[in-house]
Amino acid sequence: MVMSPINNDILDGLCSKDQLDLLDSVDRLRSQGIDHYVSLPQIIVCGDQSSGKSSVLEAISGVSFPVKSNLCTRFPTELILRKTPNVGVSISIVPHHSHSESERASLSNFHETLDGFNALPELIENAKTAMAIGSFGRAFSKNLLRIEVSGPDRPHLTIVDLPGLIHSETKQQSATDIELVQDVVKSYMKEPRSIILAVVSAKNDYANQIVLKLARAADKTGTRTLGVITKPDTLIPGSDSEAMYISLAKNLDVEFRLGWHVLKNMDSETGSWSLSKRDEEERHFFSDGIWTTLPESILGIVPLRERLSKLLLAQIAAELPSLINEIELKSTACRTQLQKLGQPRANIEEQRLYLLTLSQTCQSLTKAAVDGTYNNHFFGDAKTDAGYQKRIRAVVQNLNHSFAETIAREGHHYAITDSSNEARSSTRSSKVKTLDRASFLVRIEELIKRTRGRELPGTFNPMVISDLFLEQSQPWEALARSHIEEVARAVKIFFKHLISHIADTSTCGALFHRLVEPALQQIVKDLRGKTADLLAPHQRGHPITYNHYFTETVQEVRKERSRAEFTRVIQDFFQIESLHPSGSPHHFGDPDYRPLLDALMAHNNPNMDHYACSEALDCMQAYYKVALKRFVDDIAVEAIETNIIAKLADILSPIKVAYLAADVVTSVAGESEESCAKRKQLTNQLDVLVRGSATCKRFMVGTLQSTYDPVSTLVVRVDWEEADV
């Protein structure tokens, strides 16, 4: 590459002072190597191989690119021109994201600077070697070669030369190379803030040149594409080809909103020309023949620079509101990441202070979650799984409610029905055994016989109730322990969300595993012990209750059972289906009540053993209801509320952090090299973003106040109002 002296007037119209500041701010962002950077309008030169792209680029920028007919651009080249007091050249490689981390690091290390231009070709060759171009059959690269040229006679401009699009395979260029080059060009074309210079060579039929198809695909409306026709001197005067290209230049065939432009560049075979010589030859060519029928505004390099100046200004004006919004969004994201990283933690004092800050936030959010006050943005959307999991009070309440329903449905070993038919048709849970009352009384009678003491006939040993209840409440332990484990899992998930929210990625893992998880494990262990204590009286002790509900329940059970038995006797005696007045009773004349009295008297003189069994069953069922209600409340209040929920806020309390051993503090909060590098990167990024935002806003105000171009100013005013900036 040869650096040609440049006239200060070449691109003076391209950038105002405010635009220079704006470009500098964005270039500083790009130089950080940040993935999520803010892009500004740039000029990209695209075209098929040997279409004259590099000559167009040289004519616009005043910087000579390789233009020999047997050479071509092997990688995207970003040329950054900056006006500074001192002359300098800096070359670096921006690796493509498809490389591995180690490859990206190696390529990023390539950075060379020069005080002059003589050694520039050698540096470019070194960059090609670093990108392995020419090695392993690699002819092209997706990596970006960034050339920054500064000097007192350089304008501010960022322009990109892309590899030429390949039509067919050759020995030097494979099918893979064709696809790679197209991918690179497409990626640059799709950037909505880029002005596409679609270069078409008059040596070939433009219908066969790939660049037009790709430009149409990337810019469907043609609002940011400017067509450039090169090598018009190769057309035979008066030929159909010349007429075809004249029609194209008039924007009649392939229409672009920005239209077309025609350039005659230097002959690549005649050696190096000066820029002034090039411009003189071009003016002479367009002053003769059919080219005089075209408007002077679309012929030659000087009008093209003027067009680019207006296009670039209009593009910046149109994109500025969205650019400011984009910068603000990235600044907010940057601040959020820095807040999670916290202050630098190089020594034990800084590390403990960091943990104290985290513990205060953790305690505050935990209390809000336990109290059911979900105002903090941490809780997110309740309709999402994560949002619900963070609302630990709601989760525990729902789990307790589900536990109460489950134990009411599946907590009894036997479901006792009034008849064998009802037992067979029962739809109760498959985990519960169904038995009719008569069969169950037989079991009780056998139990009474085996536990008989000094009881009088018709009575039973009170321990029978204990044995029956113990058997009936067998499922309680498994259901209660399952419920406890569900609550413990929910709490663990809650704390994972919480720790991930308050701590940075390098700290949250150690913080959870070293401090939070052991504390949770101890709490859950205590909770299991408390559950065992609550189960013990129901598993080993004698039934005890002073709740009047027990007596009422026994009486109610007996009353309901007696009512059912008398109803059955009367229905059997009168051969009726229902005692309800809507039934159809038989008419017997004068009723004889003595048989009814005898039946009822016979019913009131039951077998004494049967009576004792029935009494025992009634007492057991009544006590089971009382005990079940008490047990459900005990699990919810004494176990879960008291032994886990009430302790959550103290799992990572400031007091605990204050008394942590120094080695524990360092192992948890000690900052890794990655975190240090991340903080430095984010700090630099935020600094550039803030300054870039200020520059954009200052540029916006300056443009609004400017009378440089009424059309451009109008564009800015409209976009400003629409964006509510």
Side-chain angles (χ1 to χ4, degrees):
M1 179 184 292
V2 178
M3 302 299 300
S4 303
I6 188 167
N7 189 329
N8 286 334
D9 296 332
I10 287 182
L11 291 170
D12 282 350
L14 274 175
C15 297
S16 68
K17 181 181 183 303
D18 288 321
Q19 287 172 297
L20 305 188
D21 292 340
L22 191 60
L23 286 170
D24 278 341
S25 297
V26 175
D27 284 337
R28 280 195 297 271
L29 269 180
R30 289 173 177 160
S31 67
Q32 299 293 329
I34 302 167
D35 291 334
H36 301 287
Y37 60 87
V38 178
S39 62
L40 275 180
Q42 61 183 354
I43 302 168
I44 60 171
V45 185
C46 313
D48 292 17
Q49 262 189 10
S50 302
S51 62
K53 295 184 302 81
S54 297
S55 295
V56 171
L57 183 62
E58 176 180 347
I60 294 171
S61 66
V63 178
S64 296
F65 280 76
V67 293
K68 293 294 183 182
S69 59
N70 62 336
L71 298 177
C72 62
T73 306
R74 299 293 180 176
F75 40 78
T77 303
E78 181 182 47
L79 180 64
I80 301 173
L81 304 176
R82 289 295 176 262
K83 186 173 183 178
T84 62
N86 300 318
V87 175
V89 178
S90 173
I91 295 184
S92 58
I93 297 175
V94 180
H96 192 263
H97 62 80
S98 60
H99 288 297
S100 66
E101 185 175 346
S102 59
E103 288 174 329
R104 289 199 301 270
S106 176
L107 289 169
S108 297
N109 287 333
F110 184 90
H111 191 280
E112 300 287 347
T113 58
L114 295 172
D115 295 330
F117 304 136
N118 294 333
L120 186 58
E122 182 181 351
L123 281 186
I124 293 176
E125 288 300 319
N126 292 341
K128 291 170 64 175
T129 302
M131 289 186 274
I133 294 175
S135 303
F136 311 107
R138 183 179 299 175
F140 295 90
S141 173
K142 290 184 178 181
N143 300 313
L144 174 70
L145 180 66
R146 173 174 288 154
I147 303 176
E148 299 181 55
V149 180
S150 58
D153 61 344
R154 300 293 159 185
H156 272 57
L157 178 66
T158 298
I159 194 164
V160 179
D161 183 31
L162 300 178
L165 296 161
I166 308 169
H167 282 258
S168 58
E169 298 179 45
T170 65
K171 290 183 178 180
Q172 292 78 29
Q173 298 170 162
S174 65
T176 303
D177 294 331
I178 296 175
E179 184 178 353
L180 185 148
V181 170
Q182 285 206 17
D183 288 344
V184 170
V185 174
K186 287 178 182 177
S187 68
Y188 276 87
M189 281 185 168
K190 72 179 181 181
E191 290 294 332
R193 291 174 182 153
S194 292
I195 296 173
I196 303 171
L197 291 191
V199 180
V200 174
S201 171
K203 290 182 71 172
N204 304 310
D205 188 342
Y206 63 79
N208 298 327
Q209 299 189 45
I210 308 170
V211 67
L212 295 182
K213 177 183 177 182
L214 296 185
R216 277 297 192 191
D219 179 26
K220 292 181 172 56
T221 58
T223 55
R224 55 186 180 86
T225 303
L226 174 62
V228 178
I229 300 172
T230 62
K231 306 182 182 181
D233 51 318
T234 61
L235 295 170
I236 299 174
S239 66
D240 291 341
S241 296
E242 186 183 55
M244 179 181 66
Y245 270 98
I246 291 292
S247 177
L248 182 67
K250 292 180 178 179
N251 208 24
L252 298 177
D253 292 345
V254 179
E255 294 185 25
F256 291 130
R257 185 176 174 183
L258 301 181
W260 286 81
H261 205 93
V262 187
L263 293 179
K264 179 192 177 299
N265 290 323
M266 64 183 69
D267 188 348
S268 62
E269 300 297 334
T270 61
S272 177
W273 292 7
S274 67
L275 291 176
S276 58
K277 177 67 173 176
R278 177 225 168 274
D279 293 351
E280 181 183 343
E281 289 288 334
E282 185 179 60
R283 282 192 298 271
H284 177 72
F285 177 78
F286 288 129
S287 64
D288 189 25
I290 197 171
W291 303 105
T292 58
T293 63
L294 295 176
E296 291 184 2
S297 60
I298 68 169
L299 297 175
I301 191 60
V302 175
L304 178 60
R305 293 179 190 131
E306 293 175 358
R307 292 180 75 176
L308 290 176
S309 174
K310 293 180 180 180
L311 287 176
L312 193 58
L313 177 60
Q315 189 79 339
I316 292 176
E319 294 292 336
L320 198 55
S322 65
L323 184 61
I324 291 175
N325 290 336
E326 189 177 345
I327 291 175
E328 293 300 327
L329 286 174
K330 286 177 170 57
S331 298
T332 301
C334 206
R335 289 188 182 95
T336 301
Q337 293 183 64
L338 281 171
Q339 186 177 5
K340 289 187 69 175
L341 284 173
Q343 296 299 316
R345 311 187 295 275
N347 53 54
I348 185 66
E349 289 79 11
E350 292 176 345
Q351 293 162 6
R352 195 180 296 276
L353 179 60
Y354 173 67
L355 285 184
L356 283 170
T357 304
L358 292 187
S359 66
Q360 290 172 340
T361 306
C362 179
Q363 196 171 49
S364 174
L365 289 175
T366 302
K367 187 178 185 304
V370 168
D371 292 343
T373 308
Y374 311 124
N375 298 327
N376 193 282
H377 69 278
F378 157 71
F379 295 103
D381 187 354
K383 295 188 290 294
T384 64
D385 289 342
Y388 173 62
Q389 291 165 353
K390 295 172 184 178
R391 290 160 166 79
I392 194 62
R393 170 58 66 186
V395 173
V396 171
Q397 291 281 71
N398 291 332
L399 287 176
N400 282 339
H401 183 72
S402 177
F403 170 66
E405 290 181 339
T406 301
I407 202 168
R409 185 176 60 252
E410 302 175 3
H412 43 281
H413 188 63
Y414 286 106
I416 303 169
T417 61
D418 290 334
S419 66
S420 58
N421 290 335
E422 186 180 349
R424 284 192 293 270
S425 62
S426 174
T427 58
R428 290 179 173 86
S429 170
S430 59
K431 297 180 181 179
V432 178
K433 297 180 181 179
T434 303
L435 205 62
D436 63 274
R437 184 178 180 86
S439 300
F440 201 85
L441 290 176
V442 172
R443 295 181 74 255
I444 295 177
E445 185 176 5
E446 184 66 24
L447 180 62
I448 288 177
K449 289 179 180 178
R450 291 177 176 270
T451 58
R452 189 181 299 278
R454 298 179 178 179
E455 301 84 19
L456 294 173
T459 63
F460 55 88
N461 188 333
M463 292 306 297
V464 169
I465 304 297
S466 178
D467 293 338
L468 292 175
F469 173 76
L470 181 62
E471 180 184 44
Q472 186 71 338
S473 62
Q474 278 181 3
W476 286 13
E477 180 175 0
L479 293 174
R481 294 193 184 281
S482 175
H483 176 50
I484 293 301
E485 296 304 321
E486 284 191 53
V487 172
R489 279 194 297 272
V491 168
K492 186 174 182 179
I493 291 172
F494 162 76
F495 269 102
K496 283 187 174 180
H497 284 301
L498 179 56
I499 299 303
S500 297
H501 175 74
I502 65 174
D504 62 89
T505 52
S506 64
T507 305
C508 65
L511 183 61
F512 184 82
H513 294 300
R514 290 295 303 271
L515 300 182
V516 176
E517 193 169 34
L520 275 178
Q521 290 174 347
Q522 184 58 49
I523 287 176
V524 173
K525 181 180 178 181
D526 295 341
L527 180 61
R528 293 183 182 124
K530 183 63 178 180
T531 303
D533 292 341
L534 294 174
L535 280 165
H538 304 292
Q539 294 176 325
R540 296 187 293 274
H542 184 73
I544 298 175
T545 182
Y546 300 100
N547 191 335
H548 64 84
Y549 177 72
F550 169 74
T551 307
E552 293 174 359
T553 303
V554 171
Q555 293 174 349
E556 189 65 28
V557 168
R558 290 173 179 170
K559 182 178 178 181
E560 290 297 325
R561 182 165 51 79
S562 297
R563 181 183 290 110
E565 290 178 356
F566 281 129
T567 298
R568 180 176 53 78
V569 170
I570 294 173
Q571 287 174 333
D572 290 345
F573 185 84
F574 287 109
Q575 295 294 304
I576 59 176
E577 295 181 357
S578 174
L579 300 182
H580 195 273
S582 63
S584 302
H586 296 279
H587 300 282
F588 297 101
D590 293 330
D592 182 3
Y593 295 105
R594 285 177 298 175
L596 176 59
L597 178 60
D598 291 341
L600 293 175
M601 290 298 293
H603 178 73
N604 279 335
N605 289 280
N607 176 278
M608 296 298 289
D609 290 337
H610 185 274
Y611 177 79
C613 294
S614 184
E615 289 290 300
L617 178 56
D618 290 344
C619 288
M620 185 275 289
Q621 288 182 308
Y623 181 75
Y624 180 87
K625 289 183 179 180
V626 173
L628 179 65
K629 293 179 182 295
R630 186 173 75 237
F631 180 68
V632 170
D633 287 345
D634 285 346
I635 290 294
V637 178
E638 297 297 328
I640 292 174
E641 193 66 32
T642 303
N643 279 270
I644 186 168
I645 300 301
K647 297 178 180 179
L648 294 184
D650 293 327
I651 282 182
L652 190 64
S653 68
I655 294 177
K656 286 187 176 180
V657 171
Y659 286 97
L660 286 175
D663 60 329
V664 176
V665 171
T666 300
S667 67
V668 173
E671 196 165 22
S672 64
E673 292 182 4
E674 292 180 0
S675 294
C676 293
K678 182 70 172 177
R679 179 183 286 102
K680 183 178 179 181
Q681 180 194 46
L682 289 171
T683 302
N684 292 337
Q685 180 181 355
L686 182 60
D687 178 62
V688 175
L689 284 169
V690 169
R691 283 187 276 121
S693 176
T695 302
C696 287
K697 292 174 181 177
R698 189 169 61 248
F699 171 74
M700 175 81 80
V701 174
T703 307
L704 284 172
Q705 295 173 347
S706 172
T707 57
Y708 167 76
D709 186 340
V711 176
S712 298
T713 303
L714 176 61
V715 173
V716 178
R717 289 183 185 276
V718 172
D719 285 350
W720 179 288
E721 292 171 358
E722 289 179 349
D724 292 330
V725 178

